[in-house]
Amino acid sequence: MITTKEFDQMFDNKEDISKYIDYNSPLTKEDLIKMLEKRKNEQLTIEITKELKDKLEEKAKKLGLKIQDVAKVLLAKELGLI
């Protein structure tokens, strides 16, 4: 067993992490959304370009999600929260 920090370091160093991944029970998009919804929410209003909004809407439609959920998951992923 390794710590999350050790796992992250291995991932960042492009080392083989496959033996630490449980392929039998992967996270689903619903799991990710539930994880984000359990956290205390605060409101953020931002202005984005039409191009960015169109891309978010396209991805949301493809995944069957709301645009807000896609934005939350992408931001959380980019910031290392998931």
Side-chain angles (χ1 to χ4, degrees):
M1 199 62 143
I2 62 173
T3 66
T4 304
K5 186 175 182 177
E6 291 169 328
F7 182 89
D8 290 345
Q9 286 176 328
M10 289 179 70
F11 181 83
D12 291 342
N13 293 333
K14 298 180 178 22
E15 296 177 40
D16 182 13
I17 56 170
S18 60
K19 64 182 175 185
Y20 301 108
I21 298 174
D22 181 1
Y23 293 100
N24 295 319
S25 57
L27 285 175
T28 65
K29 64 184 177 186
E30 290 82 12
D31 293 331
L32 290 172
I33 292 168
K34 285 178 187 174
M35 286 170 52
L36 292 172
E37 287 175 347
K38 286 182 182 179
R39 297 180 176 167
K40 184 178 184 229
N41 290 323
E42 291 192 25
Q43 187 171 345
L44 171 67
T45 304
I46 60 170
E47 291 183 17
I48 59 174
T49 64
K50 180 179 180 340
E51 179 183 37
L52 180 56
K53 183 177 180 261
D54 291 345
K55 288 287 187 182
L56 282 170
E57 286 176 337
E58 180 182 315
K59 191 161 190 83
K61 185 176 180 180
K62 183 177 179 182
L63 296 171
L65 299 171
K66 295 185 283 183
I67 189 172
Q68 293 89 340
D69 292 330
V70 172
K72 284 186 222 179
V73 170
L74 292 173
L75 281 169
K77 185 176 178 184
E78 177 64 26
L79 296 171
L81 298 174
I82 57 172

